Amino acid sequence: MPRSSCSFCGKSESEVSQIVAGPGRVGVCNECVVLFGDITKDEFAGNVLVTGIGELITNDPLVPGLLGIIDHAALAVTNGIVAWAGPEDSIPERWRELPVLPVGGRSVIPGFVDAHTHALFGGDTADDYADQLSVFADPPLADVDKIIQSTAATSDAHLLRETTERLNRMLRMGTTTVEVKTGYGVTTVGERRHLEILRLLSDQHPIDLVPTLFLRTIPTGADRSDHVRMITEELLAVCAPLATYCDVDCDETAFSPEEAQVILDAAAAHGLPARLHTQRFGPDAGLLVALSVRAVSVDHLDHITRSDAARLGESGTVAVLLPAASFGVRAGHAPGRMLWESGTTVAVATDCGPEGPSVESMQLVVALATVEMGLTPSQAIWSGTRGGALALEEPEKGWLGRGAVADFVVLDAPSASHLIQRPGTNLAMHVFKDGSTAF
């Protein structure tokens, strides 16, 4: 039976030469067939010995220093897992027969883990964002209802294609794991639809994708109590099986702390751990909600107080900071250094989405976290790799010690410090996912 679009890239029959029928309703275009062929030809395929590393950032707590740096290093990978990392002159004999990738003195870092995005949306919001910045609102706010409408009007095939293209660009810049939130579906049917698209993307794309059910807003004209009741009594039961987390936007433009508490308690009953957006526009009680439900992460925190930072540092909840989001709306930044010094585990992420600057580069985020949030370069790099992995409860990622998942980036630079000094340049020369070439 003819397929109308490619299940992988979303291109229609009119955009490609041929759609090849697969099992069920799966169809693959001729361009993706070629891509799959290239992938299968990867000479490393999960087994590689990387040599000539000028600076290897391991984030391994067994190696001295925050970043666990090994100079003049090598990295051995077998079956997609790091088997050994250490000085190149000490490579164990059993790893010397692996396929070799010499990198000529370049820096190798763990793959970036982007723990906060809104990368699934429909429509072009660039002109709207420019208009927001032109009126000098404080802060400039997006028209969320318009985004909800444009996303609803976008076909599944186009949502799949547009999101795939965003993930492709993220991968090319070194991101190997990404969290993607829903939020623009609003209704039970809409949110379920978006989660199903994310499941398809997760099955198809090289990037590891973590789907989060996000309750973004109360639609204009809706009764607040009725909408919260719909979420707790209907939406969660239908959507929870397809999500890894439940996130709620708790601020003056969305849900109150009391409403967020009710929703997250109900989500927990459906097996979904909590995440929470809060303190973006001012100090509020959202952090207390996050701590009461033992949230995995609390995100934004642009206006967190020192006393709340101390509470957070004692809790084990990860602070996910979003410097590009603050930068893009001319707002103050979260106090990254204060949070770090409070003992809080810090992650930094892109917040890629339609409501502001649609930043896809974790390299830029690491630079902004250093310049604007007060993190040191080492802290920012750690937060964009290991911190992100901990924010997604994936302890086997974000580091390059024995037993870690072999997600790593070869930078076209002798040290990772170039990420801070050259934020407008994509420094990712090679990107490896599970020990295989991804880019």
Side-chain angles (χ1 to χ4, degrees):
M1 184 177 74
R3 272 52 174 179
S4 61
S5 64
C6 176
S7 299
F8 180 74
C9 69
K11 291 183 178 179
S12 67
E13 288 180 310
S14 64
E15 297 175 286
V16 296
S17 300
Q18 184 182 17
I19 300 286
V20 180
R25 296 188 59 80
V26 173
V28 183
C29 74
N30 59 293
E31 295 175 5
C32 287
V33 169
V34 173
L35 174 62
F36 296 153
D38 290 341
I39 291 172
T40 60
K41 293 176 184 176
D42 178 18
E43 63 179 300
F44 303 114
N47 300 283
V48 62
L49 176 64
V50 187
T51 62
I53 302 172
E55 173 197 73
L56 175 62
I57 290 181
T58 69
N59 288 339
D60 188 339
L62 298 179
V63 180
L66 176 63
L67 296 182
I69 294 174
I70 303 173
D71 294 321
H72 310 296
L75 180 72
V77 174
T78 59
N79 299 314
I81 302 297
V82 175
W84 178 86
E88 185 167 8
D89 59 8
S90 302
I91 299 173
E93 191 64 33
R94 63 184 177 277
W95 306 129
R96 293 181 181 272
E97 298 303 316
L98 290 169
V100 176
L101 175 68
V103 298
R106 293 177 173 85
S107 177
V108 172
I109 68 172
F112 291 113
V113 180
D114 191 348
H116 183 125
T117 84
H118 305 267
L120 177 66
F121 63 91
D124 184 341
T125 60
D127 289 341
D128 293 330
Y129 175 55
D131 290 342
Q132 294 167 35
L133 295 176
S134 298
V135 299
F136 294 98
D138 186 24
L141 298 177
D143 186 341
V144 177
D145 286 340
K146 184 176 179 180
I147 296 170
I148 292 169
Q149 293 164 9
S150 64
T151 303
T154 304
S155 69
D156 288 9
H158 277 84
L159 282 176
L160 182 67
R161 178 179 175 182
E162 291 170 3
T163 310
T164 296
E165 290 172 351
R166 290 183 194 107
L167 295 178
N168 289 344
R169 292 190 293 269
M170 290 177 172
L171 182 64
R172 288 195 293 268
M173 290 184 281
T175 296
T176 51
T177 297
V178 61
E179 184 256 21
V180 182
K181 305 178 192 295
T182 63
Y184 301 119
V186 182
T187 66
T188 299
V189 172
E191 290 295 306
R192 173 81 185 196
R193 173 196 175 212
H194 294 169
L195 285 167
E196 288 174 343
I197 292 171
L198 290 179
R199 179 171 62 177
L200 186 58
L201 279 165
S202 181
D203 291 341
Q204 295 175 345
H205 203 279
I207 282 184
D208 285 341
L209 190 153
V210 179
T212 293
L213 172 64
F214 180 41
L215 290 316
R216 168 65 183 88
T217 190
I218 296 173
T220 300
D223 180 86
R224 299 187 71 93
S225 297
D226 288 346
H227 189 67
V228 171
R229 188 177 304 111
M230 182 276 293
I231 291 170
T232 58
E233 297 181 3
E234 175 188 310
L235 188 150
L236 284 168
V238 172
C239 294
L242 293 179
T244 302
Y245 297 104
C246 180
D247 193 346
V248 178
D249 193 347
C250 178
D251 63 48
E252 62 190 44
T253 69
F255 295 90
S256 69
E258 295 76 18
E259 291 164 338
Q261 179 86 52
V262 169
I263 293 169
L264 292 175
D265 284 342
H270 287 280
L272 290 181
R275 315 182 78 85
L276 193 72
H277 288 54
T278 194
Q279 296 194 357
R280 182 179 182 186
F281 302 116
D284 57 43
L287 181 68
L288 298 181
V289 174
L291 298 183
S292 73
V293 300
R294 299 180 183 273
V296 175
S297 77
V298 59
D299 302 26
H300 284 291
L301 300 177
D302 295 356
H303 294 274
I304 190 169
T305 63
R306 189 171 295 277
S307 59
D308 276 352
R311 293 188 184 96
L312 188 58
E314 296 170 355
S315 71
T317 295
V318 179
V320 180
L321 309 184
L322 308 168
S326 304
F327 174 79
V329 295
R330 304 190 184 109
H333 288 267
R337 178 162 296 182
M338 183 181 79
L339 284 161
W340 188 281
E341 292 174 349
S342 75
T344 299
T345 299
V346 175
V348 294
T350 62
D351 198 32
C352 174
E355 295 187 43
S358 193
V359 172
E360 298 163 342
S361 170
M362 282 293 290
Q363 299 179 44
L364 174 60
V365 165
V366 165
L368 287 173
T370 304
V371 175
E372 299 288 350
M373 289 185 165
L375 295 178
T376 67
S378 294
Q379 290 167 350
I381 293 166
W382 188 95
S383 298
T385 52
R386 187 63 177 159
L390 296 178
L392 296 179
E393 299 179 295
E394 299 204 24
E396 72 283 3
K397 295 181 179 178
W399 67 300
L400 293 174
R402 184 178 178 183
V405 171
D407 295 348
F408 60 91
V409 183
V410 179
L411 298 178
D412 192 12
S415 74
S417 297
H418 284 249
L419 293 169
I420 313 303
Q421 191 180 36
R422 300 162 63 189
T425 302
N426 179 14
L427 294 177
M429 183 176 182
H430 301 291
V431 180
F432 277 71
K433 185 77 191 72
D434 298 313
S436 297
T437 306
F439 169 72

